[in-house]
Coordinates of all heavy atoms in Angstrom, one line a residue:
S110 N 146.7 26.3 20.8 CA 147.5 25.6 19.8 C 147.0 24.2 19.5 O 147.5 23.5 18.7 CB 148.9 25.5 20.2 OG 149.5 26.9 20.4
G111 N 146.2 23.6 20.4 CA 145.6 22.3 20.2 C 146.5 21.2 20.7 O 146.4 20.1 20.1
I112 N 147.5 21.5 21.5 CA 148.5 20.5 21.9 C 148.3 19.9 23.2 O 149.0 19.1 23.7 CB 150.0 21.1 21.8 CG1 150.0 22.3 22.8 CG2 150.3 21.5 20.5 CD1 151.5 22.8 22.9
C113 N 147.2 20.4 23.9 CA 147.0 20.0 25.3 C 145.6 19.3 25.4 O 144.7 19.7 24.8 CB 146.9 21.2 26.3 SG 148.5 22.2 26.3
K114 N 145.6 18.4 26.3 CA 144.4 17.5 26.4 C 144.3 17.1 27.9 O 145.4 16.9 28.6 CB 144.4 16.2 25.6 CG 144.3 16.5 24.2 CD 144.2 15.1 23.3 CE 144.2 15.4 21.8 NZ 144.1 14.1 21.1
Q115 N 143.1 16.9 28.3 CA 142.8 16.5 29.8 C 143.0 15.0 29.8 O 142.7 14.3 28.9 CB 141.5 16.9 30.2 CG 141.1 16.5 31.7 CD 139.7 17.1 32.1 OE1 139.7 18.3 32.3 NE2 138.8 16.2 32.1
D116 N 143.8 14.5 30.9 CA 144.0 13.2 31.1 C 142.7 12.4 31.2 O 141.8 12.9 32.1 CB 144.9 13.0 32.3 CG 145.4 11.5 32.4 OD1 146.4 11.1 31.8 OD2 144.7 10.8 33.2
E117 N 142.6 11.3 30.6 CA 141.3 10.5 30.6 C 141.1 9.8 32.1 O 139.9 9.7 32.5 CB 141.4 9.5 29.7 CG 141.4 9.9 28.2 CD 141.4 8.8 27.2 OE1 141.5 7.6 27.7 OE2 141.4 9.0 26.0
D118 N 142.1 9.6 32.8 CA 142.0 8.9 34.1 C 142.0 9.9 35.2 O 141.3 9.6 36.3 CB 143.1 8.0 34.3 CG 143.2 6.8 33.3 OD1 142.1 6.4 32.8 OD2 144.3 6.4 33.0
N119 N 142.5 11.1 35.0 CA 142.5 12.1 36.1 C 142.2 13.5 35.5 O 143.1 14.0 34.8 CB 143.9 12.1 36.9 CG 144.0 13.0 38.0 OD1 143.0 13.7 38.4 ND2 145.1 12.8 38.8
S120 N 141.1 14.0 35.9 CA 140.6 15.2 35.3 C 141.4 16.5 35.8 O 141.3 17.6 35.2 CB 139.2 15.5 35.6 OG 138.9 15.6 36.9
A121 N 142.2 16.2 36.9 CA 142.9 17.4 37.4 C 144.3 17.5 36.6 O 145.1 18.4 37.0 CB 143.3 17.2 38.9
I122 N 144.6 16.6 35.7 CA 145.9 16.7 35.0 C 145.7 16.9 33.6 O 144.8 16.4 32.9 CB 146.7 15.3 35.2 CG1 147.0 15.1 36.6 CG2 148.0 15.3 34.3 CD1 147.8 13.8 36.9
I123 N 146.5 17.9 33.1 CA 146.5 18.3 31.6 C 147.8 18.0 31.0 O 148.8 18.3 31.7 CB 146.1 19.7 31.5 CG1 144.9 20.2 32.2 CG2 146.0 20.2 30.0 CD1 143.6 19.5 31.8
K124 N 148.0 17.4 29.9 CA 149.1 17.0 29.2 C 149.2 17.7 27.9 O 148.3 17.6 27.1 CB 149.2 15.6 29.0 CG 149.3 14.7 30.3 CD 149.6 13.2 30.0 CE 149.8 12.4 31.3 NZ 149.9 11.0 31.1
C125 N 150.4 18.4 27.7 CA 150.5 19.2 26.4 C 151.8 18.4 25.7 O 152.8 18.5 26.3 CB 150.9 20.5 26.7 SG 149.5 21.5 27.6
H126 N 151.6 17.9 24.5 CA 152.7 17.2 23.8 C 153.5 18.2 23.0 O 153.0 18.9 22.3 CB 152.1 16.1 22.9 CG 151.4 15.1 23.6 ND1 152.0 14.0 24.3 CD2 150.0 14.9 23.8 CE1 151.2 13.3 24.7 NE2 150.0 13.8 24.7
L127 N 154.8 18.2 23.2 CA 155.8 19.2 22.6 C 156.4 18.7 21.3 O 156.8 19.4 20.5 CB 156.9 19.6 23.5 CG 156.4 20.2 24.9 CD1 157.6 20.5 25.8 CD2 155.5 21.4 24.7
G128 N 156.2 17.4 21.1 CA 156.8 16.8 19.9 C 157.8 15.6 20.2 O 158.3 15.5 21.3
N129 N 158.0 14.9 19.1 CA 158.9 13.8 19.4 C 159.9 13.5 18.1 O 159.4 13.0 17.2 CB 158.2 12.5 19.7 CG 159.2 11.3 20.1 OD1 160.4 11.7 20.6 ND2 158.8 10.1 19.9
P130 N 161.0 14.3 18.0 CA 161.5 15.0 19.2 C 161.0 16.5 19.1 O 160.5 17.0 18.2 CB 163.1 15.0 18.9 CG 163.1 15.1 17.3 CD 161.9 14.2 16.8
F131 N 161.2 17.1 20.4 CA 161.1 18.6 20.5 C 162.4 19.1 20.0 O 163.4 19.1 20.9 CB 160.7 18.9 21.9 CG 160.5 20.3 22.2 CD1 160.1 21.2 21.2 CD2 160.8 20.9 23.4 CE1 159.8 22.6 21.4 CE2 160.5 22.3 23.7 CZ 160.1 23.1 22.7
E132 N 162.5 19.6 19.0 CA 163.8 20.0 18.3 C 164.6 21.0 19.0 O 163.9 21.8 19.8 CB 163.6 20.3 16.8 CG 163.0 19.1 15.9 CD 162.8 19.5 14.6 OE1 163.1 20.7 14.2 OE2 162.4 18.6 13.8
E133 N 165.9 21.0 18.8 CA 166.7 21.9 19.2 C 166.4 23.4 18.8 O 166.0 23.6 17.7 CB 168.2 21.6 18.7 CG 169.2 22.6 19.3 CD 170.6 22.2 18.7 OE1 170.7 21.2 18.1 OE2 171.5 22.9 18.9
K134 N 166.5 24.2 19.9 CA 166.2 25.7 19.8 C 164.7 26.0 19.3 O 164.3 27.0 18.8 CB 167.0 26.4 18.7 CG 168.5 26.2 19.0 CD 168.9 26.8 20.2 CE 170.4 26.7 20.4 NZ 170.9 27.1 21.8
D135 N 163.9 24.9 19.5 CA 162.4 25.1 19.2 C 161.6 25.8 20.4 O 162.1 25.7 21.5 CB 161.8 23.8 18.8 CG 160.5 23.9 18.1 OD1 160.0 25.1 17.8 OD2 159.9 22.9 17.7
Q136 N 160.5 26.2 20.1 CA 159.7 26.9 21.1 C 158.3 26.6 20.8 O 157.8 26.5 19.7 CB 159.9 28.4 21.0 CG 159.2 29.2 22.1 CD 159.3 30.6 22.0 OE1 158.9 31.3 21.0 NE2 159.9 31.3 23.0
K137 N 157.5 26.3 22.0 CA 156.1 26.1 21.9 C 155.4 27.1 22.8 O 155.7 27.3 24.0 CB 155.8 24.7 22.5 CG 156.3 23.5 21.6 CD 155.6 23.4 20.2 CE 156.1 22.3 19.4 NZ 155.5 22.2 18.1
M138 N 154.4 27.7 22.2 CA 153.5 28.7 22.9 C 152.1 28.3 22.8 O 151.6 28.1 21.7 CB 153.8 30.2 22.3 CG 155.3 30.6 22.6 SD 155.5 32.2 21.9 CE 154.4 33.2 22.9
T139 N 151.4 28.5 24.0 CA 149.9 28.3 23.9 C 149.3 28.9 25.0 O 149.9 29.4 26.0 CB 149.6 26.7 23.9 OG1 148.2 26.5 23.7 CG2 149.9 26.1 25.1
T140 N 148.0 29.1 24.9 CA 147.1 29.7 26.0 C 146.1 28.7 26.4 O 145.2 28.4 25.5 CB 146.6 31.1 25.5 OG1 147.6 31.9 25.2 CG2 145.8 31.7 26.7
L141 N 146.1 28.4 27.6 CA 145.0 27.5 28.1 C 143.9 28.3 28.9 O 144.2 29.3 29.5 CB 145.7 26.5 29.1 CG 146.6 25.4 28.5 CD1 148.0 26.0 28.5 CD2 146.7 24.1 29.3
T142 N 142.7 27.7 28.7 CA 141.6 28.5 29.3 C 140.9 27.5 30.3 O 140.6 26.4 29.9 CB 140.5 28.9 28.3 OG1 141.2 29.8 27.3 CG2 139.4 29.6 28.9

Side-chain angles (χ1 to χ4, degrees):
S110 301
I112 61 174
C113 300
K114 292 182 179 180
Q115 183 172 282
D116 188 80
E117 295 179 357
D118 298 327
N119 188 351
S120 61
I122 294 178
I123 309 298
K124 293 183 178 181
C125 301
H126 298 280
L127 303 178
N129 189 25
F131 181 28
E132 297 181 354
E133 180 181 352
K134 306 300 182 182
D135 197 2
Q136 182 183 59
K137 295 291 184 180
M138 299 179 63
T139 188
T140 300
L141 293 85
T142 302

